[in-house]
Amino acid sequence: MTYLVSWVEGNEVIYKLVNEKGLAELWEPEKNFIVVKLH
């Protein structure tokens, strides 16, 4: 499964396409992520 993950760092919006393993590695509790599952 592929996910589109986005979050804000300073004035920048970061977007990444990741799989389930990448999502687990990317996750940080202090960030406000938006996660969308892609079909």
Side-chain angles (χ1 to χ4, degrees):
M1 190 66 55
T2 302
Y3 297 89
L4 172 63
V5 181
S6 61
W7 67 94
V8 175
E9 285 188 7
N11 292 331
E12 261 186 89
V13 177
I14 311 296
Y15 297 96
K16 288 195 177 205
L17 291 172
V18 297
N19 60 17
E20 293 168 354
K21 181 180 177 190
L23 183 61
E25 292 172 357
L26 182 68
W27 200 260
E28 295 178 26
E30 63 274 357
K31 288 187 180 176
N32 293 316
F33 290 103
I34 298 172
V35 180
V36 178
K37 181 169 55 170
L38 303 176
H39 297 279

